[in-house]
Amino acid sequence: MANVMLPSFFTDNMVLQRNTTVKIWGWAITNEEIKLTASWTDETFTTKTNSNGRWAIEVPTTEAGGPYTINIKGYDEVTFNNVMLGEVWLCSGQSNMEWTPSAGIDNAEAEIAAANYPNIRLFTVNKMTSEYPQLDLKGKWQVCTPETMKHFSAVAYFFAQRLKNELKNVPIGVMNSSWGGTAAEVWIPKPYIELSPVLTEAAKKAPQESEWCPTEPGSTYNAMIHPLVGYEIAGVLWYQGESNCGSDVYNKTLGGLVDSWRTLWNDDFPFYYVQIAPYRYEGGDYQGVGVRDAQRKMLDEVSNTDMVVISDVSTIEDIHPQNKKPVGVRLGNIALKKVYGKDMGLVDSPLFESAKADGKSVTVSFKYDDGLYFTNKKSEMFELAGEDGTFYSATAKIKGNKVIVTSPEVKKPVQIRYAWHNTAQADLFNKAKLPASSFKAAIE
């Protein structure tokens, strides 16, 4: 006889997605009967293991609540305690998602001390790689306390805290699966990359070796994401891009990641991400802003996505900005408005929409343009280029919710760009005090 076993993310303290049907699965002896009971329902769920010794049971969940127990009985039995029904978000990326309060964040001592949230649950996936997709990973659910929070993703924690504060009694589960230094390609299934000439070529230009992290396409996906496929989630948070600086198709790479994950989960879940911060990257002036612009472009290419701009809360001297709370809060505000229907007001940064020429003058329109203003009454960050492609500094004025841009050096404007430098920090904001994204575009 074989003991009933489950993947590591089915444990005490876990959060299961509320108001849906969740799948719970594991292993036992071939053809063994498995019975599952959950304390939020009177129903008993029964199945048998297949010829590979695998079993899976679908269980309807109710409104938010807990703590509950789950009992699974076969040859032996397993009981999970302190289980909550609530909202589950998967968080992934590189070092800025991995970054913990203990590694250094603003106001760390006070934030850690205040992190007593019994209804917030934290799950960190241990770092592993694999050449092939795995069935399990290492990690465990923990109740949020000062001791557990200080070793958890700061961005994911502040996101969970924001949701908890607004959704009140709804438990929040955040699962962090990230690895500092990784390019996006290691998080995408390798077969998916190989089916796309664009992704294949981009993968060849991504870092090929590193002393800090894996570089083989699909290697962290196989070990740190694939085992989670099927665990019901509300959405995904992503903070990565620094290691893909220099790519001119990052929007296609990240779009491929989103598509591959959604296909595997069979779910068009929300995918919200952080635009990388301005920083003094070595080797050029524009490879970082190129990725920022690609991240902006992806919003129009992939549905049910949104982006947080953070150039106002970062420092160009540190690739790991320590002001992590606004990052998590802004992600939380987007989710609260777009997933949970809360009236959060304006939650998006100004995003380039169009540029139209009238002689030497160019009128720039933005999405999310309510209350546009410059921090110093005027902007030094707009540039225009004529048919020769040479950009010149331009004068910008706000008229209504439009920006009017002119340059004496450019008589017939053809292209426009804004905050187009690795270290450029926005000086254009909307009334929600959210900074405009960098952009480069043709003029109509």
Side-chain angles (χ1 to χ4, degrees), residues 101 105 107-122 142-154 157-158 160-161 164-165 325:
I105 63 169
N107 203 27
E109 188 174 334
E111 294 290 358
I112 292 170
N116 274 302
Y117 291 99
N119 270 9
I120 293 179
R121 307 297 172 84
L122 315 174
Q142 296 179 306
V143 176
C144 181
T145 66
E147 187 58 35
T148 58
M149 170 269 199
K150 71 181 181 181
H151 300 299
F152 189 72
S153 162
Y157 163 75
F158 286 125
Q161 182 193 51
K164 177 68 183 70
N165 289 343
K325 188 167 189 174

Side-chain angles (χ1 to χ4, degrees), residues 10-23:
F10 294 117
T11 64
D12 294 346
N13 306 318
M14 66 179 161
V15 181
L16 296 175
Q17 185 65 30
R18 62 174 172 160
N19 292 331
T20 187
T21 298
V22 300
K23 186 171 75 169

Side-chain angles (χ1 to χ4, degrees), residues 182-419:
T182 49
E185 284 80 0
V186 305
W187 299 99
I188 305 174
K190 191 173 182 179
Y192 187 93
I193 293 175
E194 292 172 341
L195 288 172
S196 166
V198 173
L199 268 59
T200 298
E201 194 60 31
K204 293 177 183 176
K205 298 177 181 178
Q208 299 300 304
E209 56 182 56
S210 170
E211 60 180 307
W212 308 108
C213 65
T215 59
E216 177 66 24
S219 57
T220 55
Y221 165 79
N222 286 339
M224 298 175 65
I225 297 295
H226 186 80
L228 297 170
V229 172
Y231 195 97
E232 196 71 25
I233 56 175
V236 170
L237 306 181
W238 177 259
Y239 191 168
Q240 188 277 337
E242 297 90 343
S243 289
N244 283 90
C245 280
S247 170
D248 55 2
V249 292
Y250 182 78
N251 51 315
K252 302 301 181 186
T253 299
L254 184 56
L257 181 145
V258 177
D259 180 62
S260 65
W261 289 18
R262 285 176 173 172
T263 298
L264 287 153
W265 257 271
N266 192 27
D267 185 3
D268 184 34
F269 47 65
F271 189 97
Y272 302 147
Y273 55 100
V274 183
Q275 188 183 64
I276 63 171
Y279 176 67
R280 297 184 188 278
Y281 292 100
E282 296 179 2
D285 294 329
Y286 304 113
Q287 67 270 49
V289 71
V291 167
R292 293 205 299 271
D293 199 36
Q295 290 173 315
R296 177 190 67 84
K297 289 177 180 177
M298 200 191 86
L299 294 170
D300 293 325
E301 298 170 355
V302 182
S303 65
N304 204 10
T305 58
D306 212 325
M307 179 180 77
V308 167
V309 181
I310 61 166
S311 64
D312 60 323
V313 296
S314 61
T315 166
I316 62 174
E317 307 295 340
D318 190 351
I319 200 168
H320 303 120
Q322 302 214 349
N323 195 7
K324 290 284 189 272
K325 188 167 189 174
V327 184
V329 167
R330 289 175 186 181
L331 286 166
N333 287 343
I334 289 171
L336 286 164
K337 181 172 185 175
K338 300 193 174 185
V339 177
Y340 304 111
K342 294 288 184 179
D343 183 7
M344 307 303 294
L346 191 59
V347 298
D348 285 287
S349 283
L351 296 172
F352 172 80
E353 189 167 42
S354 67
K356 297 181 180 179
D358 181 8
K360 293 174 62 175
S361 176
V362 178
T363 300
V364 187
S365 300
F366 293 86
K367 301 174 185 175
Y368 316 113
D369 59 359
D370 287 358
L372 290 183
Y373 68 93
F374 294 133
T375 50
N376 297 313
K377 305 297 182 185
K378 61 179 182 178
S379 174
E380 306 291 340
M381 294 198 175
F382 284 90
E383 299 171 278
L384 293 175
E387 292 176 345
D388 65 355
T390 302
F391 280 91
Y392 295 92
S393 295
T395 300
K397 297 179 181 178
I398 294 174
K399 187 175 182 180
N401 281 336
K402 310 286 187 186
V403 178
I404 313 300
V405 183
T406 56
S407 175
E409 287 90 354
V410 183
K411 294 180 180 179
K412 186 180 178 183
V414 174
Q415 292 185 79
I416 186 170
R417 65 189 191 187
Y418 167 75

Side-chain angles (χ1 to χ4, degrees), residues 174-188:
V174 272
M175 309 179 83
N176 172 39
S177 182
S178 52
W179 193 326
T182 49
E185 284 80 0
V186 305
W187 299 99
I188 305 174

